[in-house]
Structures are given as structure tokens and as C-alpha cells.
Amino acid sequence: MEKSDADGGGIRVASRAGRWVVLTTVLGSSMAMLDSTVINVALPRIGEDLGTDLAALQWTVNAYMLTLAGLILLGGALGDRYGRRRVFVIGVVWFALASLLCGIAPNAFVLIAARALQGVGGALLTPGSLALIQASFHPDDRARAVGLWSGFGGVGAAVGPFVGGWLVDGPGWRWVFLLNLPLAAVCAPIALRHVPESRDPYARGRFDVLGAALGALSLALVTYALIEAPGAGASPAVIGSAVGGVLLGAVFVQVERRRAHPMLPPSVFASRQFTTVNIVTLCVYAALGGYFFLSAIQLQVVAGYSALGAGTALLPTTVLMLLFSARSGELGQRVGPRIPLTAGPLIAATGMLLMLRVGPGSNTVSGYLTDVLPAVAVLGVGLVTVVAPLTATVLASVDTGRAGVASGINNAAARAAGLIAVAALPLLAGMGPEAYRDAGEFAATFRRAMPMCAGLLVVGAAIAWATVRTPHAAVRDAARPECTVNCGVTAPPLEPAPETARRVDDS
């Protein structure tokens, strides 16, 4: 069974076929969500087991985000052209095989390479999840289907840190990755048997492989320079990588301007609101990327939490996001985006500064209640305030026909921001290669890093206050609860909106 975007009708959520589609997309996206929520909790144990330094742990996180950020727009375009179910299933199988390689990795080099391969699978899988819902369901049922996807996916994101901590303390960190294998073994056959194929009949032109390669390589070189600088200093390799990354970034911009079907259409940035909201996105998700990377290590190395304890300690942030993001979208609709996009980052910055209280003794019940819980709760309130209106404003700042492009660009911006933050923060905070092994040294650098993260949020708030205005009536539609699926923060920092089903090179 195959359908195109031009086909009318569609299946109903209450039907047997509809339930199969929802189950398939939830299982597929849960694979990527679980990896994103549990990896930070597992880092200290990975470093101890494989005998790695801090740079290797940074690459363990960043290798995945690098390939995902660089290829996610291309992955959406491939699905539109060759079939969304087909590309989704390929992504699921690819992700599972890469997860197996992560789980059996004998050393840090193999683990990092496997994580990069996971990112490729994620770039095929992530856009396809919501694209299948958009293409499969009747228009009247799409909102409900997205709501179910978001709700079940949110539960998966919420339990991720707990499950990850249990796995790390129990059978071992390798099971964090091996857990994806049974999920894929169920998901792929169901998708092939029960999910209708769909494609965009208007997708045409060449794929922007050159643009994707240039963007990913530019990010890779800059990331390498930032990660290696603390240990290697201003070596020729570090300086050469930094200069090369910047030059390739400039070439990428020129290539995108000249191509007939660019991966990153420059014309979409003609909307001033779209451009400024993406700058706010960079600030918010850079701060979050650095925070989640460092706080999980701080809780274990300095405060003395187990992996399970650290994952559970951070859980209130995700629970608050799960419970109240839809209401935040409704609030943003009533008051306009400027206030929540200003207040949210400021509240989240306060939560990050409260994390400075976490230290030795914070692993007791009283220590958690006085040091950790206030910080993660305030951070959660800030994220509830900002994330859903941020997504709605991005979608409302462009024409409806370009919502998929806008969502994809915003997704890539969030991933790239987290990537750069994880690479740059240890350098800026003065963390040595072995800092995560020494509680005193890590605590000192953590105290320098958290104000930097909070400062990024303050900058984002200032930009939002100065530049963001209430868009036209489109914001009313974009702010509906089903458009707040991008709220998974400890999960993948932004899932594409349902309109990702449209081709990425649409002009």
C-alpha cells in the first residue's frame, strides 16, 4: 500500500491500522530518545571502564550529535523522495546495528565511531517518525495522533534517566546501547507490515549532498579544535582544524546560496523573526547541552551519587516538561511569544545557578531536597515556559508551506548548539583531560561552567525581548499542544514538527 502527499483521506487513529502506525513511530523515536537521555548518566562509568580522558567522553556525546545535525535535513529529503517508511525502516535497522557496535566496543575509538554511525541512523529515523504520522492519518486525526506520539514518547523520555542509571549500576553501561536491539526487532517488522508507504510526488532536483558534507565537516573540524585544545594547546593540528572549520563554514554558506535546491535555503532567513528565534534557540540549547553533560558528572563524581541516583535526581525537569508543556503552548498563544521567550531562559538560568549548591553531602535526602531539587525544579519551570512557545514561534514565522524546512533548520540548530557547547565548555572552564576523575578539580571547573551556561540563557532572553514580536494569526495554530512535541529536552533537543513530511528542498 502506497500513497503520496496528493492523496486525500487517510487512516483513523481509532482503527487497527492507526494503532499500528502510532506504535511504530513511538518505538522508533524511543530508540533515539532513550540514547539521548541515558548517555550523560553513563559517561563516568564509560570513562572508567575504557580508561579514557575527558576528551573521549566529549566525543562520545558529540560524534552522535555531529552526524545527526549535519544530515537530518538530508534524511528528511530522502524520505520524501524514496518513501518515508522505507527510509524510516533503514534508519531503525542502521541505528540498531550501530547500537550493537557501541555495546561491544572494545575501546573508546570504536565507541566514538559507532556513535557517529548512530547519528546517521538517527538522521534517517528522526524526521521519518512524525512524517509517517503526517502522511498516514486523516487530517482530522493528525493532531490526536501527534498527541499520542508526544505523550508516549514523553513517558519514554521521562523514564530514560532512571532506566539508564539502573542499567549502568546493574548489568553495565553497554546495555544502554544494547537495549535498542529488541526495540528495533519489534519496530521494523511492524513498520513493513502495517504502515503505509508514502512519498512527496513533487520532490525533485538533486539532493544537496555537497551542502550536507560541507556542513558536517565544518562542525567536525571546529569541534575537534575545541575538544583537543585543553590537552594539545595551540598546536598546528588544533589551529589548522579551527581555521579549516571556519573556512569550510564560509564555503558552505556560499554553496547554499548558489544551489538550485539547497539543504539550507537562504531565502527562509528573509523572515527576521525566524532568524532571531533561531539565534535564541542556539543560546538556549547550547546552555542545555553544556548543563546536562556536566551536571550528570557533577552529581556522580563530586556529590557521590550512583548512576541510578544521578538519573533519578535529574528526573523532575523532564516530568515538569511532560506535564505542563501543552499548557505552556496555550499560554504563549494568549500572551504572545515575547514574554515566555524572555522569562523562560531567565528562570532556567536561575536553576542552573542553583546547581552551584550541589557538592559533597548533596547525596543525602536532606542534601537532595535543599541542593538538587530546587535547581532541577526551577530549571524545569524555565524550560516549560520557553520550549513550546519557541517551537510555535519558529513555525509561525514562515509560510505554512515552509513549516517543514523551518522545523528542520531549528532542529539542526539545536543539535549543533549542544554539540559546540559540549566541546567548548570544558575548554572555557579550564577542565583538564583527567578532570572528571578528580572531585576537587571537577567541582572547581563546574563552578566556572554553570555561570557561563546561565549567561547564554540571559543573552537569549535579551535577544528575545529586543527582537521577538507576536506574529500574525498563524501563531494561534502553531501554538496548539500538538506542536509542542519539541519539548523533549533531556530527550532529543528538538523533534521535527509534523510538517517535516514535506520535502526539505521545497522552495
Side-chain angles (χ1 to χ4, degrees), residues 29-120:
S29 60
S30 293
M31 294 170 59
M33 286 183 179
L34 284 171
D35 262 38
S36 298
T37 56
V38 303
I39 186 63
N40 290 332
V41 174
L43 288 175
R45 199 65 57 85
I46 291 174
E48 179 183 338
D49 189 30
L50 299 182
T52 64
D53 57 13
L54 181 64
L57 298 185
Q58 290 172 276
W59 276 116
T60 300
V61 175
N62 279 348
Y64 175 80
M65 290 196 290
L66 176 64
T67 51
L68 181 58
L71 300 176
I72 192 167
L73 289 172
L74 184 61
L78 288 170
D80 289 342
R81 178 77 63 86
Y82 296 117
R84 291 154 189 149
R85 184 188 66 182
R86 177 185 299 174
V87 173
F88 175 81
V89 170
I90 291 173
V92 168
V93 174
W94 186 305
F95 196 92
L97 293 176
S99 298
L100 174 62
L101 187 56
C102 289
I104 63 174
N107 53 54
F109 177 81
V110 175
L111 177 60
I112 292 167
R115 286 284 287 167
L117 290 174
Q118 265 193 320
V120 176

Side-chain angles (χ1 to χ4, degrees), residues 22 99 171 270 318:
V22 170
S99 298
T318 308

Side-chain angles (χ1 to χ4, degrees), residues 3-5 10 84 130-137 142 198 501:
K3 63 194 291 291
S4 72
D5 290 349
R84 291 154 189 149
L130 281 171
L132 286 173
I133 290 178
Q134 171 75 5
S136 300
F137 284 99
R142 285 174 188 163
S198 65

Side-chain angles (χ1 to χ4, degrees), residues 290-316:
Y291 166 81
F292 283 114
F293 175 71
L294 296 177
S295 60
I297 300 177
Q298 173 79 357
L299 286 170
Q300 295 178 71
V301 173
V302 178
Y305 280 81
S306 64
L308 175 59
T312 307
L314 297 172
L315 199 56

Side-chain angles (χ1 to χ4, degrees), residues 45-392:
R45 199 65 57 85
I46 291 174
E48 179 183 338
D49 189 30
L50 299 182
T52 64
D53 57 13
L54 181 64
L57 298 185
Q58 290 172 276
W59 276 116
T60 300
V61 175
N62 279 348
Y64 175 80
M65 290 196 290
L66 176 64
T67 51
L68 181 58
L71 300 176
I72 192 167
L73 289 172
L74 184 61
L78 288 170
D80 289 342
R81 178 77 63 86
Y82 296 117
R84 291 154 189 149
R85 184 188 66 182
R86 177 185 299 174
V87 173
F88 175 81
V89 170
I90 291 173
V92 168
V93 174
W94 186 305
F95 196 92
L97 293 176
S99 298
L100 174 62
L101 187 56
C102 289
I104 63 174
N107 53 54
F109 177 81
V110 175
L111 177 60
I112 292 167
R115 286 284 287 167
L117 290 174
Q118 265 193 320
V120 176
L124 301 175
L125 162 66
T126 302
S129 179
L130 281 171
L132 286 173
I133 290 178
Q134 171 75 5
S136 300
F137 284 99
H138 189 280
D140 293 342
D141 276 15
R142 285 174 188 163
R144 184 183 175 195
V146 173
L148 289 171
W149 178 91
S150 177
F152 286 117
V155 171
V159 302
F162 179 84
V163 173
W166 177 78
L167 290 172
V168 171
D169 285 341
W173 63 265
R174 296 180 185 275
W175 283 93
V176 167
F177 302 107
L178 297 177
L179 182 64
N180 292 319
L181 299 181
L183 290 176
V186 174
C187 180
I190 292 177
L192 291 172
R193 181 175 178 83
H194 297 288
V195 176
E197 182 61 285
S198 65
R199 64 188 75 237
D200 183 355
Y202 303 106
R204 60 187 182 276
R206 297 181 179 179
F207 292 111
D208 190 10
V209 177
L210 177 61
L214 287 172
L217 188 56
S218 174
L219 281 173
L221 289 175
V222 171
T223 301
Y224 175 84
L226 292 171
I227 290 177
E228 296 301 321
S235 66
V238 170
I239 294 176
S241 296
V243 172
V246 172
L247 290 177
L248 283 178
V251 173
F252 168 75
V253 172
Q254 293 303 315
V255 166
E256 295 302 279
R257 285 180 175 177
R258 296 176 181 177
R259 294 182 77 83
H261 300 284
M263 179 184 73
L264 191 70
S267 59
V268 77
F269 292 97
S271 167
R272 181 171 175 265
Q273 181 109 310
F274 178 78
T275 302
T276 56
V277 172
N278 273 287
I279 295 174
V280 175
T281 297
L282 290 171
C283 294
V284 169
Y285 282 91
L288 291 176
Y291 166 81
F292 283 114
F293 175 71
L294 296 177
S295 60
I297 300 177
Q298 173 79 357
L299 286 170
Q300 295 178 71
V301 173
V302 178
Y305 280 81
S306 64
L308 175 59
T312 307
L314 297 172
L315 199 56
T317 299
T318 308
V319 172
L320 286 170
M321 293 291 294
L322 176 62
L323 294 177
F324 298 110
S325 284
R327 295 183 182 179
S328 174
E330 296 171 359
L331 176 64
Q333 176 186 355
R334 291 197 299 270
V335 305
R338 188 185 187 199
I339 293 176
L341 294 191
T342 302
L346 294 177
I347 298 171
T350 303
M352 290 186 181
L353 293 177
L354 287 174
M355 281 295 292
L356 295 174
R357 296 168 55 88
V358 176
S362 295
N363 61 338
T364 63
V365 173
S366 61
Y368 178 76
L369 293 176
T370 58
D371 298 342
V372 182
L373 183 59
V376 296
V378 171
L379 176 66
V381 171
L383 297 184
V384 165
T385 305
V386 69
V387 172
L390 184 68
T391 303

